[in-house]
Amino acid sequence: MKTPPAAPTLYYIGLMSGTSLDGVDAALIAIESETPPRLVATHAEPMPDTLHSALLALCHAEQASFAQLAFAENTFCALQAQAVKALLAKQQLSPHQITAIGSHGQTIEHAPSGHQGGPAYTLQLDNPSLLAELTGCTVVADFRRRDLAAGGQAAPLAPAFHQALFGRKSADQLILNLGGIANITWLPRDEDHPVLGFDTGPANVLLDAWFAEHQGGRFDQDGAWAKSGQVDEKLLADFLADPFFRQPPPRSTGREYFHVAWLKQRLTGRELPADVQATLAELTAISVAEGVGQLLPNGQPTTLITGGGGAHNAYLMARLAHHLPNATFTSPTAYGWPEDWIEAGAFAWLAHQRLHHLPGNLPSVTGAQGPRVLGGIYAP
């Protein structure tokens, strides 16, 4: 009897620009039958200041012109194409060797519960038609709105990828992403229990914004400025009194909720800026710890696989360890995935799911009425 030929290796590129607006992450992944997705190569394309400013303005705009939207969308798309081409050149690959690009786009506003009585919506600025033209690759995009149409939060979507990547082990696993927003995924060892996940609250989105306003630059390296301050307990209590932190899952949020105006309306004006930064780091650490407590209420020992830009913030990680004394923090590098590349990898995997007519959401996470195939396909 002949052995059937091995299934071909399929290559996908995932593109992600998160709420931190620091650039486009491009992850090349390989998908082979019966094995978890494999990270092959990465490229980070920094975001130019002009585009950063244009996108940041749109994130808080009550009104915007079509010309503004078109400029930001097409400029962002050109940056994505630049990231793809750089990644292909590094690997000496041609566009026809890539099965598809999974493009997340840039979230401008996320309102899964609507706004002022209006309908639910989520808006990712993207131009997948132009991206297909510029790269010569099939593009899969607009992943979130199908889950929203099915009654879900449209976020977080990464837990489905976490399940594919890390699988079910002999012990519960928790995956923590410290991006602009912090979110957590629970992979229970008992397969009778569904995978759960939700946004716990702000992470880098407020830390970066406050740092940029008072220190210049994009982020607080290693949390050194936060470490120089003192936690303001009254301010921290005001932060934690926000109704978001008492909202049960499914739960998601973004820059449209946690932004500088949210912060400043809780300030008296007498606080030292470094103290505010320290208090913001404490807010992230406590809200993550409370999220872990919702999933594992008995405080049992657990391992947190920690990714996202905040995983490099030594002060933030120290505060997390303080509030989660029974937790062991580990890097996803043990699984072949550096901290910064899981989210971009997720959208490469979601492109694979779409092309194979497979669900990309987890209703237990998003609250959707059922599994849904996510995204639209744009041929080159």
Side-chain angles (χ1 to χ4, degrees):
M1 179 184 244
K2 289 186 177 179
T3 302
T9 300
L10 302 178
Y11 294 99
Y12 295 84
I13 293 175
L15 299 177
M16 181 65 191
S17 175
T19 49
S20 295
L21 297 173
D22 53 358
V24 172
D25 289 340
L28 175 67
I29 76 168
I31 294 183
E32 296 145 338
S33 60
E34 308 301 323
T35 59
R38 177 168 54 86
L39 183 64
V40 177
T42 63
H43 177 77
E45 193 69 36
M47 186 173 290
D49 290 339
T50 52
L51 179 57
H52 181 270
S53 298
L55 291 171
L56 194 59
L58 287 171
C59 287
H60 300 287
E62 287 296 322
Q63 295 182 349
S65 70
F66 292 120
Q68 283 177 289
L69 289 168
F71 168 79
E73 188 173 67
N74 285 11
T75 306
F76 175 74
C77 184
L79 188 71
Q80 288 182 299
Q82 195 172 320
V84 169
K85 291 175 181 178
L87 186 56
L88 293 177
K90 280 183 182 179
Q91 297 302 116
Q92 299 182 326
L93 293 171
S94 62
H96 77 267
Q97 292 174 280
I98 303 301
T99 303
I101 293 169
S103 174
H104 172 263
Q106 179 64 61
T107 296
I108 297 302
E109 190 154 308
H110 179 68
S113 300
H115 179 63
Q116 297 181 347
Y121 63 90
T122 184
L123 176 61
Q124 284 72 47
L125 205 66
D126 206 358
N127 189 340
S129 297
L130 179 58
L131 186 59
E133 286 288 336
L134 293 176
T135 61
C137 297
T138 295
V139 175
V140 183
D142 190 19
F143 292 99
R144 295 194 183 274
R145 288 194 291 181
R146 183 59 193 275
D147 183 88
L148 191 75
Q153 292 268 312
L157 295 182
F161 177 62
H162 295 157
Q163 183 178 20
L165 182 59
F166 300 110
R168 300 286 188 109
K169 307 297 183 186
S170 57
D172 291 346
Q173 294 179 101
L174 288 170
I175 295 90
L176 171 63
N177 174 57
L178 293 168
I181 299 297
N183 50 67
I184 194 163
T185 301
W186 179 43
L187 299 177
R189 63 183 181 275
D190 184 350
E191 295 197 9
D192 290 334
H193 287 284
V195 172
L196 299 177
F198 54 90
D199 289 349
T200 60
N204 300 324
V205 64
L206 291 179
L207 288 166
D208 290 352
W210 189 250
F211 182 83
E213 182 169 321
H214 290 274
Q215 296 289 301
R218 295 279 182 90
F219 63 95
D220 184 8
Q221 183 74 45
D222 291 326
W225 190 47
K227 187 177 181 180
S228 73
Q230 297 292 322
V231 173
D232 183 324
E233 296 294 343
K234 182 182 181 304
L235 181 60
L236 178 62
D238 288 345
F239 288 164
L240 289 168
D242 189 283
F244 173 83
F245 298 108
R246 297 189 297 277
Q247 180 183 329
R251 188 171 87 188
S252 62
T253 190
R255 180 185 287 276
E256 70 290 331
Y257 191 95
F258 290 108
H259 48 65
V260 172
W262 179 93
L263 166 60
K264 287 184 175 179
Q265 69 186 9
R266 289 162 172 79
L267 301 179
T268 65
R270 297 187 296 273
E271 297 89 355
L272 294 175
D275 292 349
V276 175
Q277 188 79 349
T279 308
L280 289 172
E282 198 74 0
L283 171 65
T284 297
I286 289 176
S287 55
V288 167
E290 289 180 347
V292 172
Q294 284 181 266
L295 296 173
L296 301 173
N298 297 324
Q300 62 214 65
T302 189
T303 296
L304 270 82
I305 303 169
T306 307
H312 303 293
N313 184 323
Y315 178 73
L316 177 57
M317 294 303 296
R319 297 314 299 159
L320 280 167
H322 173 79
H323 290 290
L324 290 167
N326 292 327
T328 300
F329 294 88
T330 188
S331 168
T333 52
Y335 298 84
W337 288 80
E339 288 89 346
D340 298 328
W341 296 101
I342 292 178
E343 289 226 346
F347 286 91
W349 177 81
L350 284 167
H352 172 82
Q353 295 296 98
R354 176 62 186 88
L355 292 185
H356 290 78
H357 309 287
L358 297 170
N361 67 335
L362 289 174
S364 60
V365 171
T366 67
Q369 295 170 9
R372 295 293 187 268
V373 177
L374 308 180
I377 301 171
Y378 299 78

